[in-house]
Amino acid sequence: MPYKILEKRELGNSGILFEMILHTPLIAQKAHAGNFILVRVNETGERFPLTIADYDREKGTITIVFQVFGKSTKLLSHQKIDDEILDVVGPLGNKIHIQKYEYPVVIIGGGVGIAPCYPQAKELKEAGNKIITIIGARNTGLLFWREKMRSVSDELIICTDDGTEGIKALVTEPLEELIVKEKISIVIAIGPLIMMKYVAQTTDGSGDLPKVKTYVSLNPIMIDGTGMCGGCRFSTVDGDIYFACVDGPDVDGHMVDFENLLKRSMRFKDQEKESLDKYDHECKALDKFQNEVS
Ligand SMILES: Cc1cc2nc3c(=O)[nH]c(=O)nc-3n(C[C@H](O)[C@H](O)[C@H](O)COP(=O)(O)OP(=O)(O)OC[C@H]3O[C@@H](n4cnc5c(N)ncnc54)[C@H](O)[C@@H]3O)c2cc1C
Ligand code: FES
């Protein structure tokens, strides 16, 4: 059953971040913070995972936000309003645990990882928690959803690597200050693996700061999303093996072997580049053909 794109907009001013609202009534009914979908744009497309960044049960819609990395995300970015996506499977993965915590919850979103933080902040806020959100990106052009994040946060801290907006800092700097200043019940971090690794290191109690329970949202390669293929497996620092699609994607950040995961995330770089180059070549050939016939 195809799924219609009801809305599409570019986020920030980098030309690589997009938000889409999809008509997926059955998925919208069941969606919760932490869930993701698998998308296949057309018959020749790959299946790839995207987090449900928002949902509207009444309208039967879900919101996705994605960054163009390679062939599949570029193909998705070329779709227009009213186009239909061939397959959308979900909601997949575990929803996050929601409870009222004694102390504030700190939610950290880095880059495109800001979007998946929204439903988590929203559901935790609705449960009565004090939410302190930190969002960060390389520069102001890669930041988005400031007001949306503010609407579900008691405090919003903005960071950029180059100081073009908010404080010139990595997200771990305000996190350290918060942990020194007050008691924090949990930290949730969603963003690049390297960011999540350093957040987990900041809160693991190994340095001068107290230990704070920390969840990270893992994004290894996923194929079936249902625990069958093993593509998304990750190991813990104790050597245990888990599958991010069915055991996560949100997991205890202090148990993740980030070095191993970082290595695994680079394994298919050559094939991914080849696939993107082939797609770009096909797009150029199609443009040339359309220019010639028009
Ligand atoms: C649970 C989960 C949720 C995600 N949510 C989002 C999101 O909300 N927004 C967003 O922009 N991105 C999200 N991602 C990452 C997104 O799936 C990849 O960016 C996308 O698959 C890249 O495909 P590509 O063909 O464009 O790029 P490629 O050139 O194929 O790959 C670029 C990089 O993307 C990653 N990747 C490639 N294929 C997959 C795959 N099948 N599964 C997972 N990662 C892959 C790899 O790290 C790879 O190096 C999520 C990943 C996971 C696992
Ligand atoms: S994606 Fe296949 S086991 Fe997780």
Side-chain angles (χ1 to χ4, degrees):
M1 179 177 121
Y3 300 87
K4 195 178 253 195
I5 300 170
L6 301 180
E7 289 179 39
K8 175 189 175 188
R9 64 182 68 90
E10 198 183 314
L11 299 175
N13 64 9
S14 60
I16 56 167
L17 283 166
F18 295 89
E19 172 182 341
M20 279 182 180
I21 297 185
L22 309 180
H23 188 239
T24 58
L26 293 178
I27 298 175
Q29 284 312 314
K30 301 263 181 188
H32 278 287
N35 290 145
F36 66 92
I37 52 170
L38 277 174
V39 175
R40 191 164 64 115
V41 178
N42 59 27
E43 290 87 356
T44 55
E46 273 183 339
R47 288 153 64 91
F48 64 101
L50 292 174
T51 307
I52 299 174
D54 202 1
Y55 50 83
D56 187 323
R57 300 199 203 288
E58 275 175 25
K59 292 185 183 157
T61 61
I62 58 166
T63 302
I64 51 171
V65 170
F66 60 94
Q67 179 165 345
V68 173
F69 274 113
K71 181 196 159 184
S72 300
T73 42
K74 196 172 228 186
L75 174 66
L76 184 58
S77 75
H78 289 163
Q79 308 308 303
K80 303 180 292 302
I81 293 175
D82 287 340
D83 282 352
E84 288 180 336
I85 294 177
L86 184 62
D87 292 331
V88 179
V89 180
L92 297 166
N94 295 307
K95 58 184 182 183
I96 60 156
H97 173 72
I98 302 290
Q99 69 167 77
K100 165 81 177 78
Y101 290 96
E102 193 176 358
Y103 304 112
V105 172
V106 175
I107 299 186
I108 305 174
V112 70
I114 294 168
C117 288
Y118 174 76
Q120 305 217 2
K122 185 175 159 201
E123 291 188 17
L124 284 161
K125 177 96 176 130
E126 281 166 2
N129 290 291
K130 178 178 178 187
I131 308 290
I132 305 175
T133 303
I134 305 172
I135 58 173
R138 285 200 303 277
N139 58 56
T140 183
L142 290 164
L143 279 171
F144 60 93
W145 279 17
R146 300 161 184 81
E147 292 318 310
K148 203 166 157 123
M149 291 311 299
R150 210 184 293 280
S151 72
V152 289
S153 309
D154 294 273
E155 192 182 336
L156 178 71
I157 301 168
I158 298 178
C159 306
T160 48
D161 296 1
D162 65 358
T164 44
E165 187 173 336
I167 49 174
K168 184 173 188 245
L170 299 175
V171 292
T172 42
E173 289 181 42
L175 172 64
E176 280 176 24
E177 284 168 22
L178 284 168
I179 297 175
V180 169
K181 202 173 75 182
E182 59 186 307
K183 282 201 165 152
I184 303 293
S185 280
I186 59 161
V187 171
I188 296 171
I190 311 179
L193 265 181
I194 198 77
M195 179 201 96
M196 295 192 287
K197 173 186 153 174
Y198 283 111
V199 167
Q201 239 172 47
T202 306
T203 58
D204 68 3
S206 62
D208 297 336
L209 301 171
K211 184 169 179 170
V212 186
K213 181 93 181 158
T214 296
Y215 293 95
V216 295
S217 185
L218 296 185
N219 51 4
I221 299 245
M222 287 189 183
I223 300 147
D224 66 313
T226 57
M228 302 295 285
C229 70
C232 68
R233 73 183 180 280
F234 68 95
S235 45
T236 67
V237 281
D238 295 329
D240 295 325
I241 300 288
Y242 289 92
F243 291 165
C245 67
V246 286
D247 297 315
D250 293 77
V251 299
D252 178 349
H254 297 147
M255 76 171 190
V256 177
D257 180 347
F258 280 102
E259 298 314 320
N260 183 284
L261 205 51
L262 280 158
K263 248 187 250 155
R264 276 175 60 83
S265 73
M266 305 298 284
R267 265 176 66 191
F268 300 108
K269 280 280 167 253
D270 292 345
Q271 290 90 334
E272 285 156 3
K273 185 174 178 317
E274 193 182 317
S275 170
L276 179 61
D277 290 347
K278 191 164 168 254
Y279 178 67
D280 282 341
H281 180 74
E282 285 163 7
C283 287
K284 272 189 204 132
L286 184 65
D287 280 350
K288 192 167 170 245
F289 171 73
Q290 281 169 344
N291 284 339
E292 277 168 11
V293 293
S294 64

